[in-house]
Amino acid sequence: MAEFACKFGHKSYRANQLLRWIYKDYVSHFDEMSDIAKDFRQTLLSQAAVVTPEIKVDHLSDDGTRKWLLDVGASNSIEMVFIPEDKRGTLCISSQVGCTLECTFCATGRQGFNRNLSSGEIIGQLWLANHKLLSDNQNYNEKPITNVVMMGMGEPLTNYKNLVHALEMMLDDHMFGLSRRRVTVSTSGLVPAIDDLREDCPVSLAVSLHAPNDLLRNVLVPINKKYPIKALISACNRYIEKAPRDFITFEYVMLSGVNDSLDQAKELIKIAQQVPCKFNLIPFNPFPNSGYLCSANKEIKQFKQVLMDANIITTVRKTRGDDIDAACGQLAGQVNDKTKRTLKLKAAHD
Ligand code: SAH
Ligand code: SF4
């Protein structure tokens, strides 16, 4: 911003004024930025614009979860979800339109890959959600979003440069000022990029494990063939040295008869003992032709107990926003289903 101001012959300190208007007051029209010198405002009007993705659909669930479908041009849509809780508000945002990685149980993976989001489109989701929530509900006395999770569409670490730039803006005190602990990147396990993130911008890390051994993980999370569990655990241990939390969160989707047996829970303990971690069990959210079913509640409880008995802190993710398809893994919604695997599945069904 300072560079931008200087480029057009204005003093660099004006950048901070501008940042305050945009990121503290959520003003996007330069005309309304009353204490900014007229000549700078003129430059802004002719050279710049505050642009965010556009809201296409805005859904409010009975439990307060709010889902927005956002238009990012050329018929591309992404989704973001706001999950209010007692003492925090979490925003789940997207990093890509689609995903290249094709995890077999994931609706986004089935969609195929369209494109990376720019850093502006990533941070624009946070700006837009804060702005919307503040303007719709005057009761908020501060920013409603306290936590950000990169758990929407896409694999954040395959859009690395734009991700890191967006993370820096989330953390910057002149911008969103979130603490590193409250920003979480979720990854399917790209080992070299985990190492890069450790150096460039270590925020909280969640790793999508989903299987207790390579044989099964190769199927569910195909990137495992390139970066198997052993390499992934080593990367997690390296990451912890610089992470804002002293544990890694392992996400584990509960797929009936696939990865939810008590023997598999016991196998998982061996992995968990190699790295400081917590487990978050995610009930699978089914979608058409997924080929999977969610484990029964009883099975999930027993699976959790095996881990807890081994002193591994384990939570089960509450399913929120089910009535509006905002549940985890359904972010892609009714998008076109483009991957070869699904075409094959469809053929099998027909
Ligand atoms: N690409 C990243 C982040 C986005 S997905 C990753 O894979 O970690 C966020 C989480 O939702 C991941 O743990 C992912 O495995 C999980 N997920 C995907 N599809 C799901 C589904 N249908 N039901 C439940 N969880 C799902
Ligand atoms: Fe991509 Fe994550 Fe879905 Fe795998 S689970 S296909 S990495 S979005």
Side-chain angles (χ1 to χ4, degrees), residues 92-93 95-96 99 101 103 105-109 150-157 185-190 206-210 221 250-255 282-287 290 317 327-331:
C92 175
I93 60 177
S95 55
Q96 299 179 311
C99 184
L101 295 182
C103 300
F105 54 86
C106 173
T108 307
M150 301 293 310
M151 293 184 186
M153 291 171 76
E155 166 52 54
L157 294 185
V185 166
S186 173
T187 178
S188 54
L190 283 99
V207 172
S208 294
L209 192 59
H210 304 319
V221 186
F250 284 131
E251 295 159 281
Y252 196 95
V253 64
M254 298 301 293
L255 302 167
I282 314 175
F284 170 65
N285 284 301
F287 54 93
S290 75
R317 185 174 294 170
C328 177
Q330 293 185 335
L331 292 178

mmCIF file of all heavy atoms in Angstrom, residues 92-93 95-96 99 101 103 105-109 150-157 185-190 206-210 221 250-255 282-287 290 317 327-331, ligand 1:
data_model
loop_
_atom_site.group_PDB
_atom_site.id
_atom_site.type_symbol
_atom_site.label_atom_id
_atom_site.label_comp_id
_atom_site.label_asym_id
_atom_site.label_seq_id
_atom_site.Cartn_x
_atom_site.Cartn_y
_atom_site.Cartn_z
ATOM 1 N N CYS A 92 -14.780 -20.586 7.681
ATOM 2 C CA CYS A 92 -14.125 -21.610 6.871
ATOM 3 C C CYS A 92 -14.066 -21.083 5.440
ATOM 4 O O CYS A 92 -15.106 -20.782 4.847
ATOM 5 C CB CYS A 92 -14.967 -22.884 6.962
ATOM 6 S SG CYS A 92 -14.379 -24.203 5.905
ATOM 7 N N ILE A 93 -12.862 -20.931 4.902
ATOM 8 C CA ILE A 93 -12.750 -20.325 3.566
ATOM 9 C C ILE A 93 -12.028 -21.237 2.572
ATOM 10 O O ILE A 93 -11.369 -22.202 2.935
ATOM 11 C CB ILE A 93 -12.067 -18.929 3.616
ATOM 12 C CG1 ILE A 93 -10.655 -19.012 4.197
ATOM 13 C CG2 ILE A 93 -12.914 -17.950 4.415
ATOM 14 C CD1 ILE A 93 -9.930 -17.663 4.177
ATOM 15 N N SER A 95 -9.504 -22.016 -0.884
ATOM 16 C CA SER A 95 -8.224 -21.587 -1.447
ATOM 17 C C SER A 95 -8.157 -21.801 -2.962
ATOM 18 O O SER A 95 -7.290 -21.256 -3.638
ATOM 19 C CB SER A 95 -7.073 -22.350 -0.787
ATOM 20 O OG SER A 95 -7.273 -23.748 -0.905
ATOM 21 N N GLN A 96 -9.054 -22.637 -3.484
ATOM 22 C CA GLN A 96 -9.044 -22.933 -4.926
ATOM 23 C C GLN A 96 -10.478 -23.157 -5.397
ATOM 24 O O GLN A 96 -11.363 -23.456 -4.586
ATOM 25 C CB GLN A 96 -8.267 -24.227 -5.198
ATOM 26 C CG GLN A 96 -6.807 -24.187 -4.780
ATOM 27 C CD GLN A 96 -6.106 -25.508 -5.053
ATOM 28 O OE1 GLN A 96 -6.602 -26.567 -4.705
ATOM 29 N NE2 GLN A 96 -4.925 -25.424 -5.669
ATOM 30 N N CYS A 99 -10.167 -28.854 -6.791
ATOM 31 C CA CYS A 99 -8.931 -29.337 -6.175
ATOM 32 C C CYS A 99 -8.298 -30.353 -7.121
ATOM 33 O O CYS A 99 -8.999 -31.088 -7.816
ATOM 34 C CB CYS A 99 -9.235 -29.993 -4.827
ATOM 35 S SG CYS A 99 -7.763 -30.527 -3.930
ATOM 36 N N LEU A 101 -6.433 -32.886 -6.140
ATOM 37 C CA LEU A 101 -5.933 -34.079 -5.451
ATOM 38 C C LEU A 101 -6.853 -35.299 -5.413
ATOM 39 O O LEU A 101 -6.427 -36.387 -5.073
ATOM 40 C CB LEU A 101 -5.472 -33.694 -4.046
ATOM 41 C CG LEU A 101 -4.261 -32.745 -4.064
ATOM 42 C CD1 LEU A 101 -3.802 -32.414 -2.660
ATOM 43 C CD2 LEU A 101 -3.096 -33.315 -4.849
ATOM 44 N N CYS A 103 -9.148 -36.790 -3.500
ATOM 45 C CA CYS A 103 -9.433 -37.703 -2.386
ATOM 46 C C CYS A 103 -10.807 -38.304 -2.666
ATOM 47 O O CYS A 103 -11.731 -37.593 -3.064
ATOM 48 C CB CYS A 103 -9.423 -36.958 -1.053
ATOM 49 S SG CYS A 103 -7.818 -36.187 -0.725
ATOM 50 N N PHE A 105 -13.357 -39.464 -1.046
ATOM 51 C CA PHE A 105 -14.574 -39.211 -0.268
ATOM 52 C C PHE A 105 -14.967 -37.738 -0.290
ATOM 53 O O PHE A 105 -15.824 -37.309 0.470
ATOM 54 C CB PHE A 105 -14.321 -39.626 1.193
ATOM 55 C CG PHE A 105 -13.086 -38.949 1.727
ATOM 56 C CD1 PHE A 105 -13.176 -37.684 2.267
ATOM 57 C CD2 PHE A 105 -11.838 -39.547 1.603
ATOM 58 C CE1 PHE A 105 -12.044 -37.029 2.699
ATOM 59 C CE2 PHE A 105 -10.695 -38.888 2.022
ATOM 60 C CZ PHE A 105 -10.809 -37.626 2.572
ATOM 61 N N CYS A 106 -14.293 -36.931 -1.128
ATOM 62 C CA CYS A 106 -14.448 -35.473 -1.058
ATOM 63 C C CYS A 106 -15.173 -34.932 -2.289
ATOM 64 O O CYS A 106 -14.766 -35.188 -3.428
ATOM 65 C CB CYS A 106 -13.079 -34.828 -0.922
ATOM 66 S SG CYS A 106 -13.139 -33.029 -1.037
ATOM 67 N N ALA A 107 -16.234 -34.174 -2.033
ATOM 68 C CA ALA A 107 -17.026 -33.616 -3.125
ATOM 69 C C ALA A 107 -16.206 -32.630 -3.969
ATOM 70 O O ALA A 107 -16.347 -32.584 -5.189
ATOM 71 C CB ALA A 107 -18.262 -32.908 -2.559
ATOM 72 N N THR A 108 -15.322 -31.888 -3.324
ATOM 73 C CA THR A 108 -14.482 -30.944 -4.083
ATOM 74 C C THR A 108 -13.540 -31.696 -5.012
ATOM 75 O O THR A 108 -13.352 -31.323 -6.172
ATOM 76 C CB THR A 108 -13.660 -30.049 -3.129
ATOM 77 O OG1 THR A 108 -14.535 -29.434 -2.198
ATOM 78 C CG2 THR A 108 -12.911 -28.980 -3.892
ATOM 79 N N GLY A 109 -12.945 -32.785 -4.467
ATOM 80 C CA GLY A 109 -12.038 -33.597 -5.278
ATOM 81 C C GLY A 109 -12.739 -34.135 -6.516
ATOM 82 O O GLY A 109 -12.155 -34.223 -7.601
ATOM 83 N N MET A 150 -8.659 -22.834 6.929
ATOM 84 C CA MET A 150 -8.569 -23.042 5.476
ATOM 85 C C MET A 150 -9.051 -24.468 5.214
ATOM 86 O O MET A 150 -8.262 -25.372 4.931
ATOM 87 C CB MET A 150 -7.125 -22.869 4.989
ATOM 88 C CG MET A 150 -6.486 -21.520 5.264
ATOM 89 S SD MET A 150 -7.181 -20.124 4.368
ATOM 90 C CE MET A 150 -7.208 -20.681 2.700
ATOM 91 N N MET A 151 -10.357 -24.665 5.365
ATOM 92 C CA MET A 151 -10.936 -26.002 5.214
ATOM 93 C C MET A 151 -12.085 -26.007 4.222
ATOM 94 O O MET A 151 -12.915 -26.913 4.217
ATOM 95 C CB MET A 151 -11.437 -26.524 6.572
ATOM 96 C CG MET A 151 -10.323 -26.777 7.558
ATOM 97 S SD MET A 151 -10.950 -27.491 9.072
ATOM 98 C CE MET A 151 -9.468 -27.507 10.078
ATOM 99 N N GLY A 152 -12.147 -24.978 3.395
ATOM 100 C CA GLY A 152 -13.176 -24.950 2.370
ATOM 101 C C GLY A 152 -12.707 -25.710 1.143
ATOM 102 O O GLY A 152 -12.018 -26.732 1.249
ATOM 103 N N MET A 153 -13.044 -25.203 -0.030
ATOM 104 C CA MET A 153 -12.636 -25.904 -1.250
ATOM 105 C C MET A 153 -11.144 -25.737 -1.493
ATOM 106 O O MET A 153 -10.594 -24.648 -1.311
ATOM 107 C CB MET A 153 -13.402 -25.320 -2.445
ATOM 108 C CG MET A 153 -14.883 -25.643 -2.413
ATOM 109 S SD MET A 153 -15.744 -24.716 -3.683
ATOM 110 C CE MET A 153 -15.309 -25.628 -5.137
ATOM 111 N N GLY A 154 -10.533 -26.818 -1.919
ATOM 112 C CA GLY A 154 -9.153 -26.724 -2.383
ATOM 113 C C GLY A 154 -8.111 -27.160 -1.378
ATOM 114 O O GLY A 154 -8.364 -27.280 -0.188
ATOM 115 N N GLU A 155 -6.907 -27.423 -1.897
ATOM 116 C CA GLU A 155 -5.766 -27.776 -1.057
ATOM 117 C C GLU A 155 -4.889 -26.524 -0.948
ATOM 118 O O GLU A 155 -4.190 -26.153 -1.907
ATOM 119 C CB GLU A 155 -4.994 -28.945 -1.696
ATOM 120 C CG GLU A 155 -3.622 -29.205 -1.128
ATOM 121 C CD GLU A 155 -3.582 -29.360 0.392
ATOM 122 O OE1 GLU A 155 -4.313 -30.190 0.944
ATOM 123 O OE2 GLU A 155 -2.804 -28.626 1.028
ATOM 124 N N PRO A 156 -4.918 -25.865 0.215
ATOM 125 C CA PRO A 156 -4.211 -24.581 0.335
ATOM 126 C C PRO A 156 -2.731 -24.666 -0.048
ATOM 127 O O PRO A 156 -2.185 -23.746 -0.656
ATOM 128 C CB PRO A 156 -4.384 -24.192 1.799
ATOM 129 C CG PRO A 156 -5.187 -25.250 2.452
ATOM 130 C CD PRO A 156 -5.630 -26.241 1.432
ATOM 131 N N LEU A 157 -2.077 -25.780 0.288
ATOM 132 C CA LEU A 157 -0.622 -25.838 0.057
ATOM 133 C C LEU A 157 -0.246 -26.049 -1.408
ATOM 134 O O LEU A 157 0.930 -25.960 -1.751
ATOM 135 C CB LEU A 157 0.017 -26.912 0.952
ATOM 136 C CG LEU A 157 -0.032 -26.621 2.457
ATOM 137 C CD1 LEU A 157 0.735 -27.682 3.235
ATOM 138 C CD2 LEU A 157 0.505 -25.232 2.794
ATOM 139 N N VAL A 185 -4.331 -23.859 8.846
ATOM 140 C CA VAL A 185 -4.254 -24.402 7.482
ATOM 141 C C VAL A 185 -4.484 -25.901 7.581
ATOM 142 O O VAL A 185 -3.849 -26.586 8.381
ATOM 143 C CB VAL A 185 -2.878 -24.107 6.846
ATOM 144 C CG1 VAL A 185 -2.671 -24.942 5.586
ATOM 145 C CG2 VAL A 185 -2.746 -22.623 6.517
ATOM 146 N N SER A 186 -5.416 -26.391 6.775
ATOM 147 C CA SER A 186 -5.656 -27.831 6.727
ATOM 148 C C SER A 186 -5.059 -28.367 5.434
ATOM 149 O O SER A 186 -5.297 -27.818 4.356
ATOM 150 C CB SER A 186 -7.164 -28.094 6.764
ATOM 151 O OG SER A 186 -7.429 -29.468 6.560
ATOM 152 N N THR A 187 -4.284 -29.437 5.552
ATOM 153 C CA THR A 187 -3.655 -29.997 4.352
ATOM 154 C C THR A 187 -3.791 -31.515 4.295
ATOM 155 O O THR A 187 -3.836 -32.184 5.326
ATOM 156 C CB THR A 187 -2.157 -29.624 4.271
ATOM 157 O OG1 THR A 187 -1.598 -30.243 3.099
ATOM 158 C CG2 THR A 187 -1.379 -30.106 5.488
ATOM 159 N N SER A 188 -3.811 -32.008 3.064
ATOM 160 C CA SER A 188 -3.854 -33.450 2.878
ATOM 161 C C SER A 188 -2.452 -34.050 3.017
ATOM 162 O O SER A 188 -2.287 -35.260 2.933
ATOM 163 C CB SER A 188 -4.427 -33.767 1.504
ATOM 164 O OG SER A 188 -3.688 -33.067 0.533
ATOM 165 N N GLY A 189 -1.452 -33.177 3.223
ATOM 166 C CA GLY A 189 -0.133 -33.708 3.564
ATOM 167 C C GLY A 189 0.946 -33.528 2.521
ATOM 168 O O GLY A 189 1.676 -34.476 2.202
ATOM 169 N N LEU A 190 1.092 -32.319 1.996
ATOM 170 C CA LEU A 190 2.176 -32.062 1.032
ATOM 171 C C LEU A 190 3.448 -31.734 1.799
ATOM 172 O O LEU A 190 3.651 -30.595 2.241
ATOM 173 C CB LEU A 190 1.786 -30.913 0.104
ATOM 174 C CG LEU A 190 0.798 -31.354 -0.958
ATOM 175 C CD1 LEU A 190 -0.603 -30.969 -0.567
ATOM 176 C CD2 LEU A 190 1.154 -30.738 -2.289
ATOM 177 N N ALA A 206 -3.547 -28.395 10.606
ATOM 178 C CA ALA A 206 -4.403 -29.589 10.675
ATOM 179 C C ALA A 206 -4.025 -30.471 9.490
ATOM 180 O O ALA A 206 -3.828 -29.975 8.378
ATOM 181 C CB ALA A 206 -5.870 -29.192 10.592
ATOM 182 N N VAL A 207 -3.875 -31.751 9.752
ATOM 183 C CA VAL A 207 -3.478 -32.680 8.692
ATOM 184 C C VAL A 207 -4.574 -33.730 8.506
ATOM 185 O O VAL A 207 -5.036 -34.346 9.471
ATOM 186 C CB VAL A 207 -2.127 -33.359 9.040
ATOM 187 C CG1 VAL A 207 -1.805 -34.469 8.053
ATOM 188 C CG2 VAL A 207 -1.007 -32.315 9.040
ATOM 189 N N SER A 208 -4.990 -33.893 7.255
ATOM 190 C CA SER A 208 -6.043 -34.863 6.947
ATOM 191 C C SER A 208 -5.433 -36.255 6.860
ATOM 192 O O SER A 208 -4.899 -36.633 5.823
ATOM 193 C CB SER A 208 -6.694 -34.490 5.609
ATOM 194 O OG SER A 208 -7.354 -33.264 5.745
ATOM 195 N N LEU A 209 -5.524 -37.000 7.948
ATOM 196 C CA LEU A 209 -4.870 -38.304 7.991
ATOM 197 C C LEU A 209 -5.778 -39.391 7.394
ATOM 198 O O LEU A 209 -5.417 -40.055 6.440
ATOM 199 C CB LEU A 209 -4.487 -38.632 9.445
ATOM 200 C CG LEU A 209 -3.557 -39.805 9.653
ATOM 201 C CD1 LEU A 209 -2.238 -39.626 8.928
ATOM 202 C CD2 LEU A 209 -3.315 -40.039 11.143
ATOM 203 N N HIS A 210 -6.924 -39.585 7.985
ATOM 204 C CA HIS A 210 -8.012 -40.425 7.450
ATOM 205 C C HIS A 210 -7.751 -41.930 7.371
ATOM 206 O O HIS A 210 -8.659 -42.690 7.051
ATOM 207 C CB HIS A 210 -8.466 -39.941 6.062
ATOM 208 C CG HIS A 210 -8.893 -38.511 6.022
ATOM 209 N ND1 HIS A 210 -9.641 -37.914 7.005
ATOM 210 C CD2 HIS A 210 -8.676 -37.539 5.107
ATOM 211 C CE1 HIS A 210 -9.869 -36.648 6.698
ATOM 212 N NE2 HIS A 210 -9.284 -36.385 5.568
ATOM 213 N N VAL A 221 -6.555 -40.952 0.199
ATOM 214 C CA VAL A 221 -5.848 -39.676 -0.018
ATOM 215 C C VAL A 221 -4.675 -39.975 -0.947
ATOM 216 O O VAL A 221 -3.556 -40.208 -0.499
ATOM 217 C CB VAL A 221 -5.340 -39.098 1.336
ATOM 218 C CG1 VAL A 221 -4.739 -37.713 1.163
ATOM 219 C CG2 VAL A 221 -6.446 -39.073 2.383
ATOM 220 N N PHE A 250 -4.971 -33.902 13.844
ATOM 221 C CA PHE A 250 -5.226 -34.854 12.765
ATOM 222 C C PHE A 250 -6.722 -34.945 12.521
ATOM 223 O O PHE A 250 -7.496 -35.205 13.450
ATOM 224 C CB PHE A 250 -4.682 -36.244 13.118
ATOM 225 C CG PHE A 250 -3.180 -36.355 12.983
ATOM 226 C CD1 PHE A 250 -2.422 -36.892 14.008
ATOM 227 C CD2 PHE A 250 -2.544 -35.941 11.822
ATOM 228 C CE1 PHE A 250 -1.035 -36.994 13.889
ATOM 229 C CE2 PHE A 250 -1.160 -36.037 11.688
ATOM 230 C CZ PHE A 250 -0.411 -36.567 12.726
ATOM 231 N N GLU A 251 -7.103 -34.717 11.268
ATOM 232 C CA GLU A 251 -8.503 -34.895 10.906
ATOM 233 C C GLU A 251 -8.674 -36.336 10.414
ATOM 234 O O GLU A 251 -7.797 -36.889 9.737
ATOM 235 C CB GLU A 251 -8.882 -33.909 9.788
ATOM 236 C CG GLU A 251 -8.807 -32.459 10.223
ATOM 237 C CD GLU A 251 -8.674 -31.516 9.051
ATOM 238 O OE1 GLU A 251 -7.546 -31.387 8.511
ATOM 239 O OE2 GLU A 251 -9.680 -30.904 8.671
ATOM 240 N N TYR A 252 -9.809 -36.915 10.781
ATOM 241 C CA TYR A 252 -10.032 -38.325 10.425
ATOM 242 C C TYR A 252 -11.508 -38.492 10.105
ATOM 243 O O TYR A 252 -12.368 -38.434 10.989
ATOM 244 C CB TYR A 252 -9.618 -39.204 11.616
ATOM 245 C CG TYR A 252 -9.440 -40.666 11.281
ATOM 246 C CD1 TYR A 252 -8.189 -41.185 10.976
ATOM 247 C CD2 TYR A 252 -10.532 -41.534 11.294
ATOM 248 C CE1 TYR A 252 -8.026 -42.534 10.683
ATOM 249 C CE2 TYR A 252 -10.376 -42.885 10.999
ATOM 250 C CZ TYR A 252 -9.114 -43.377 10.695
ATOM 251 O OH TYR A 252 -8.945 -44.712 10.407
ATOM 252 N N VAL A 253 -11.806 -38.619 8.819
ATOM 253 C CA VAL A 253 -13.199 -38.739 8.394
ATOM 254 C C VAL A 253 -13.698 -40.155 8.678
ATOM 255 O O VAL A 253 -12.979 -41.137 8.433
ATOM 256 C CB VAL A 253 -13.333 -38.359 6.890
ATOM 257 C CG1 VAL A 253 -12.583 -39.321 5.990
ATOM 258 C CG2 VAL A 253 -14.785 -38.263 6.470
ATOM 259 N N MET A 254 -14.878 -40.278 9.242
ATOM 260 C CA MET A 254 -15.369 -41.596 9.660
ATOM 261 C C MET A 254 -16.200 -42.239 8.554
ATOM 262 O O MET A 254 -17.346 -41.853 8.290
ATOM 263 C CB MET A 254 -16.200 -41.456 10.943
ATOM 264 C CG MET A 254 -15.419 -40.922 12.138
ATOM 265 S SD MET A 254 -13.993 -41.933 12.616
ATOM 266 C CE MET A 254 -14.774 -43.429 13.190
ATOM 267 N N LEU A 255 -15.594 -43.241 7.903
ATOM 268 C CA LEU A 255 -16.239 -43.923 6.777
ATOM 269 C C LEU A 255 -16.612 -45.344 7.195
ATOM 270 O O LEU A 255 -15.730 -46.156 7.532
ATOM 271 C CB LEU A 255 -15.274 -43.976 5.581
ATOM 272 C CG LEU A 255 -14.751 -42.624 5.074
ATOM 273 C CD1 LEU A 255 -13.573 -42.830 4.121
ATOM 274 C CD2 LEU A 255 -15.857 -41.842 4.376
ATOM 275 N N ILE A 282 -14.261 -36.653 12.014
ATOM 276 C CA ILE A 282 -15.283 -35.934 11.237
ATOM 277 C C ILE A 282 -16.300 -36.932 10.685
ATOM 278 O O ILE A 282 -15.945 -37.788 9.867
ATOM 279 C CB ILE A 282 -14.655 -35.201 10.020
ATOM 280 C CG1 ILE A 282 -13.392 -34.433 10.424
ATOM 281 C CG2 ILE A 282 -15.665 -34.278 9.367
ATOM 282 C CD1 ILE A 282 -12.665 -33.787 9.247
ATOM 283 N N PRO A 283 -17.555 -36.850 11.136
ATOM 284 C CA PRO A 283 -18.559 -37.718 10.514
ATOM 285 C C PRO A 283 -18.605 -37.423 9.011
ATOM 286 O O PRO A 283 -18.676 -36.253 8.611
ATOM 287 C CB PRO A 283 -19.861 -37.291 11.199
ATOM 288 C CG PRO A 283 -19.435 -36.641 12.478
ATOM 289 C CD PRO A 283 -18.105 -35.994 12.180
ATOM 290 N N PHE A 284 -18.536 -38.475 8.216
ATOM 291 C CA PHE A 284 -18.547 -38.298 6.753
ATOM 292 C C PHE A 284 -19.874 -37.676 6.307
ATOM 293 O O PHE A 284 -20.943 -38.099 6.738
ATOM 294 C CB PHE A 284 -18.361 -39.661 6.072
ATOM 295 C CG PHE A 284 -18.597 -39.630 4.583
ATOM 296 C CD1 PHE A 284 -17.770 -38.902 3.745
ATOM 297 C CD2 PHE A 284 -19.660 -40.343 4.026
ATOM 298 C CE1 PHE A 284 -17.991 -38.868 2.380
ATOM 299 C CE2 PHE A 284 -19.887 -40.317 2.659
ATOM 300 C CZ PHE A 284 -19.053 -39.573 1.829
ATOM 301 N N ASN A 285 -19.784 -36.686 5.454
ATOM 302 C CA ASN A 285 -20.990 -36.094 4.876
ATOM 303 C C ASN A 285 -21.204 -36.664 3.488
ATOM 304 O O ASN A 285 -20.444 -36.363 2.575
ATOM 305 C CB ASN A 285 -20.834 -34.573 4.781
ATOM 306 C CG ASN A 285 -21.009 -33.951 6.132
ATOM 307 O OD1 ASN A 285 -22.055 -34.094 6.756
ATOM 308 N ND2 ASN A 285 -19.962 -33.319 6.610
ATOM 309 N N PRO A 286 -22.234 -37.472 3.349
ATOM 310 C CA PRO A 286 -22.436 -38.146 2.072
ATOM 311 C C PRO A 286 -22.857 -37.178 0.976
ATOM 312 O O PRO A 286 -23.416 -36.123 1.259
ATOM 313 C CB PRO A 286 -23.558 -39.133 2.364
ATOM 314 C CG PRO A 286 -24.068 -38.834 3.720
ATOM 315 C CD PRO A 286 -23.283 -37.740 4.322
ATOM 316 N N PHE A 287 -22.559 -37.537 -0.254
ATOM 317 C CA PHE A 287 -23.042 -36.782 -1.411
ATOM 318 C C PHE A 287 -23.340 -37.808 -2.506
ATOM 319 O O PHE A 287 -22.852 -38.946 -2.435
ATOM 320 C CB PHE A 287 -22.019 -35.716 -1.855
ATOM 321 C CG PHE A 287 -20.642 -36.259 -2.112
ATOM 322 C CD1 PHE A 287 -20.264 -36.660 -3.386
ATOM 323 C CD2 PHE A 287 -19.709 -36.386 -1.079
ATOM 324 C CE1 PHE A 287 -18.991 -37.165 -3.632
ATOM 325 C CE2 PHE A 287 -18.438 -36.899 -1.315
ATOM 326 C CZ PHE A 287 -18.080 -37.291 -2.593
ATOM 327 N N SER A 290 -21.162 -41.009 -3.913
ATOM 328 C CA SER A 290 -19.858 -40.968 -3.241
ATOM 329 C C SER A 290 -19.312 -42.386 -3.063
ATOM 330 O O SER A 290 -18.107 -42.595 -3.032
ATOM 331 C CB SER A 290 -19.974 -40.286 -1.881
ATOM 332 O OG SER A 290 -20.592 -41.149 -0.946
ATOM 333 N N ARG A 317 -16.235 -33.914 15.489
ATOM 334 C CA ARG A 317 -16.731 -32.637 14.956
ATOM 335 C C ARG A 317 -18.251 -32.644 14.929
ATOM 336 O O ARG A 317 -18.865 -33.578 14.426
ATOM 337 C CB ARG A 317 -16.181 -32.389 13.546
ATOM 338 C CG ARG A 317 -16.590 -31.012 13.042
ATOM 339 C CD ARG A 317 -15.949 -30.691 11.727
ATOM 340 N NE ARG A 317 -14.499 -30.558 11.843
ATOM 341 C CZ ARG A 317 -13.698 -30.467 10.786
ATOM 342 N NH1 ARG A 317 -14.190 -30.507 9.577
ATOM 343 N NH2 ARG A 317 -12.394 -30.347 10.947
ATOM 344 N N ALA A 327 -22.375 -28.502 5.549
ATOM 345 C CA ALA A 327 -21.545 -29.413 6.311
ATOM 346 C C ALA A 327 -20.253 -29.689 5.553
ATOM 347 O O ALA A 327 -20.183 -29.576 4.336
ATOM 348 C CB ALA A 327 -22.304 -30.699 6.562
ATOM 349 N N CYS A 328 -19.245 -30.040 6.348
ATOM 350 C CA CYS A 328 -17.918 -30.260 5.834
ATOM 351 C C CYS A 328 -17.905 -31.225 4.648
ATOM 352 O O CYS A 328 -18.530 -32.274 4.684
ATOM 353 C CB CYS A 328 -17.125 -30.842 6.978
ATOM 354 S SG CYS A 328 -15.521 -31.270 6.554
ATOM 355 N N GLY A 329 -17.194 -30.842 3.613
ATOM 356 C CA GLY A 329 -17.087 -31.720 2.455
ATOM 357 C C GLY A 329 -18.196 -31.512 1.449
ATOM 358 O O GLY A 329 -18.181 -32.070 0.363
ATOM 359 N N GLN A 330 -19.181 -30.674 1.825
ATOM 360 C CA GLN A 330 -20.260 -30.426 0.879
ATOM 361 C C GLN A 330 -20.131 -29.044 0.283
ATOM 362 O O GLN A 330 -21.053 -28.521 -0.321
ATOM 363 C CB GLN A 330 -21.613 -30.519 1.591
ATOM 364 C CG GLN A 330 -21.901 -31.918 2.052
ATOM 365 C CD GLN A 330 -23.279 -32.030 2.654
ATOM 366 O OE1 GLN A 330 -23.820 -31.060 3.139
ATOM 367 N NE2 GLN A 330 -23.843 -33.207 2.615
ATOM 368 N N LEU A 331 -18.983 -28.443 0.523
ATOM 369 C CA LEU A 331 -18.820 -27.060 0.105
ATOM 370 C C LEU A 331 -18.979 -26.891 -1.397
ATOM 371 O O LEU A 331 -19.389 -25.853 -1.872
ATOM 372 C CB LEU A 331 -17.464 -26.534 0.552
ATOM 373 C CG LEU A 331 -17.342 -26.391 2.065
ATOM 374 C CD1 LEU A 331 -15.956 -25.920 2.430
ATOM 375 C CD2 LEU A 331 -18.367 -25.423 2.605
HETATM 376 N N1 SAH B 1 -7.586 -29.790 1.156
HETATM 377 C C1 SAH B 1 -7.474 -29.644 2.562
HETATM 378 C C2 SAH B 1 -8.515 -28.731 3.160
HETATM 379 C C3 SAH B 1 -9.913 -28.781 2.652
HETATM 380 S S1 SAH B 1 -10.895 -30.158 3.073
HETATM 381 C C4 SAH B 1 -7.485 -31.006 3.228
HETATM 382 O O1 SAH B 1 -7.764 -31.992 2.573
HETATM 383 O O2 SAH B 1 -7.163 -31.053 4.420
HETATM 384 C C5 SAH B 1 -11.214 -29.955 4.808
HETATM 385 C C6 SAH B 1 -11.469 -31.284 5.529
HETATM 386 O O3 SAH B 1 -12.727 -31.857 5.107
HETATM 387 C C7 SAH B 1 -10.407 -32.308 5.237
HETATM 388 O O4 SAH B 1 -10.018 -32.992 6.387
HETATM 389 C C8 SAH B 1 -11.138 -33.244 4.297
HETATM 390 O O5 SAH B 1 -10.557 -34.497 4.249
HETATM 391 C C9 SAH B 1 -12.532 -33.235 4.890
HETATM 392 N N2 SAH B 1 -13.590 -33.745 3.994
HETATM 393 C C10 SAH B 1 -13.609 -33.746 2.654
HETATM 394 N N3 SAH B 1 -14.742 -34.329 2.197
HETATM 395 C C11 SAH B 1 -15.454 -34.683 3.284
HETATM 396 C C12 SAH B 1 -16.726 -35.314 3.470
HETATM 397 N N4 SAH B 1 -17.489 -35.648 2.435
HETATM 398 N N5 SAH B 1 -17.152 -35.522 4.732
HETATM 399 C C13 SAH B 1 -16.392 -35.140 5.785
HETATM 400 N N6 SAH B 1 -15.194 -34.544 5.675
HETATM 401 C C14 SAH B 1 -14.721 -34.318 4.436
#
